[in-house]
Amino acid sequence: MGNTVTCCVSPDASPKLSRARGGGAAPGPERRADAYQVAAAAAEAEAGDSDHGGGPHLQHISDREFPDDLALESNPSDHPRASTIFLSKSQTDVREKRKSNHINHVSPGQLTKKYSSCSTIFIDDSTVSQPNLRSTIKCVTLAIYYHIKNRDSVRSLDIFDEKSHPLTREEVPDDYSKHDPDHKHIYRFVRTLFSAAQLTAECAIVTLVYLERLLTYAEIDICPSNWKRIVLGAILLASKVWDDQAVWNVDYCQILKDITVEDMNEMERHFLELLQFNINVPASVYAKYYFDLRSLADDNNLNFLLEPLSKERAQKLEAISRLCEDKYKDLSKAAMRRSFSADNLVGIRRSNAILS
């Protein structure tokens, strides 16, 4: 089990075989996602052969899609209009905290958040395309904390249980499932993995998407007994899908020195099966999770580092904005040319206006 995701689906789908036959560059994240989905579709097609006794049975696309209402309600990690689970779970604590402060007349104290004025503009260095790594990991781990704290029940699977599959040689205490980890504990665990594997902030957001997708698809809960292995499995998968030069499973064994490669491989296979090999993350879903994480940070006073907008950075932002504007102008012109009717194949002639 290395940094290629096809090896746990089918031996014939190995990228090494495809390169030996036809050559080509290493597969990117989109090709890896297609490899999972093609393998899953092929398995369903083979299963359908026996139903008709003839050629392969191709399932109609309408049979594979959920109704809009059901899909939006049950699969928030697949649809941009659905509310993220972590933000919903955090609202309970946020409302109670605000209510308590109001009843007890607690003063907000000195304002630490900076606000822009007519003379000074404060901006941070985190954008949806280039999030700040430290702030993003803090927000993602806070989302995991609320998942654990406000869980509905303790549904779990043996493959994620730390008692059955320990990550260290230290003996797991008998009451390990009764104590919720705090935010700092979760942050240190995730931060250690990201620092050692040199993962990006975008990978942290995709990790949270996979985590919520797993909880929804498998109908389990993240709790004190399984949170480390679920988070580790989500990070492992997100790093392989997002980064072209992904970290191999054996590399994670060097970070967590007491875990075996076989255990990592088995956990990854189960994770993929529970996701139904759906590792696609649309751009709209990614953007929703990014902005919901920023809302979570704002509700919990996890302020992003703000700095005054300098003249040099303003000029840089203006140059980037002008570049994007020119790019979209070219795209709109190309779209207009493609939309001409057959009567206008010669092109549009603009005549000069005659003023009398």
Side-chain angles (χ1 to χ4, degrees):
M1 180 65 63
N3 68 331
T4 55
V5 294
T6 51
C7 55
C8 61
V9 179
S10 172
D12 299 332
S14 173
K16 295 182 179 179
L17 296 179
S18 61
R19 285 198 292 267
R21 291 170 185 165
E30 295 181 358
R31 294 186 181 179
R32 293 196 186 100
D34 293 340
Y36 281 129
Q37 294 163 355
V38 168
E44 291 183 2
E46 292 176 1
D49 291 348
S50 58
D51 296 340
H52 297 275
H57 169 65
L58 298 178
Q59 189 179 21
H60 193 271
I61 188 172
S62 61
D63 298 332
R64 297 176 59 86
E65 293 178 345
F66 294 99
D68 288 343
D69 295 339
L70 177 61
L72 291 175
E73 179 182 356
S74 58
N75 300 325
S77 61
D78 293 328
H79 301 272
R81 290 179 294 171
S83 300
T84 51
I85 303 175
F86 71 85
L87 195 60
S88 302
K89 289 184 177 294
S90 68
Q91 291 306 307
T92 304
D93 290 43
V94 172
R95 285 193 297 265
E96 290 180 356
K97 183 177 180 181
R98 290 175 179 172
K99 183 179 179 180
S100 175
N101 291 342
H102 177 73
I103 294 176
N104 299 323
H105 304 285
V106 177
S107 172
Q110 184 180 2
L111 296 178
T112 57
K113 186 175 181 179
K114 300 177 181 178
Y115 294 91
S116 300
S117 63
C118 297
S119 59
T120 306
I121 299 177
F122 290 98
I123 59 174
D124 58 63
D125 60 347
S126 181
T127 62
V128 67
S129 58
Q130 293 181 338
N132 178 275
L133 177 60
R134 184 172 179 270
S135 301
T136 302
I137 293 179
K138 275 192 173 183
C139 294
V140 169
T141 51
L142 183 61
I144 296 172
Y145 165 77
Y146 278 120
H147 264 290
I148 300 174
K149 181 181 179 183
N150 299 325
R151 59 188 179 276
D152 298 326
S153 60
V154 288
R155 299 169 299 176
S156 185
L157 296 173
D158 181 71
I159 187 63
F160 299 122
D161 191 277
E162 199 172 347
K163 187 77 171 180
S164 305
H165 304 273
L167 297 179
T168 62
R169 295 181 181 178
E170 298 178 2
E171 184 179 356
V172 180
D174 296 332
D175 59 345
Y176 72 108
S177 60
K178 298 179 181 179
H179 302 288
D180 294 347
D182 57 10
H183 179 214
K184 291 182 179 180
H185 186 192
I186 302 173
Y187 174 78
R188 284 195 298 267
F189 178 78
V190 176
R191 180 67 180 179
T192 300
L193 292 176
F194 270 73
S195 299
Q198 298 181 353
L199 302 179
T200 60
E202 298 89 343
C203 184
I205 299 177
V206 177
T207 295
L208 184 59
V209 176
Y210 287 159
L211 187 146
E212 293 206 340
R213 187 173 295 173
L214 174 74
L215 301 182
T216 304
Y217 282 25
E219 297 182 351
I220 61 176
D221 299 279
I222 184 169
C223 50
S225 62
N226 63 12
W227 72 269
K228 284 187 178 180
R229 290 182 62 85
I230 288 180
V231 171
L232 176 61
I235 292 175
L236 173 68
L237 193 57
S239 65
K240 291 186 177 182
V241 174
W242 184 261
D243 296 328
D244 285 333
Q245 300 294 331
V247 183
W248 290 46
N249 289 4
V250 67
D251 296 327
Y252 284 101
C253 296
Q254 296 178 1
I255 302 172
L256 303 170
K257 299 186 180 299
D258 296 329
I259 193 172
T260 63
V261 180
E262 292 76 17
D263 186 20
M264 295 284 290
N265 296 347
E266 183 183 6
M267 182 175 62
E268 184 182 12
R269 284 193 294 268
H270 279 79
F271 207 108
L272 283 168
E273 291 172 0
L274 293 171
L275 289 185
Q276 301 173 21
F277 299 96
N278 178 15
I279 58 171
N280 180 44
V281 179
S284 53
V285 171
Y286 173 89
K288 176 188 68 175
Y289 271 77
Y290 170 79
F291 288 110
D292 279 2
L293 285 171
R294 293 203 64 138
S295 299
L296 180 70
D298 189 58
D299 291 339
N300 291 270
N301 297 322
L302 290 179
N303 299 325
F304 286 70
L305 182 62
L306 296 176
E307 295 179 354
L309 179 63
S310 61
K311 182 179 180 181
E312 293 76 13
R313 190 170 184 186
Q315 292 174 347
K316 183 179 179 180
L317 291 174
E318 186 178 359
I320 295 175
S321 177
R322 190 182 300 112
L323 182 64
C324 293
E325 185 179 353
D326 295 340
K327 179 182 177 181
Y328 287 122
K329 281 183 179 178
D330 296 338
L331 291 175
S332 61
K333 289 180 181 178
M336 185 180 295
R337 286 196 296 269
R338 288 197 299 269
S339 62
F340 287 162
S341 64
D343 298 331
N344 297 324
L345 289 177
V346 208
I348 296 180
R349 296 179 180 177
R350 294 181 173 84
S351 58
N352 297 327
I354 300 176
L355 302 178
S356 57

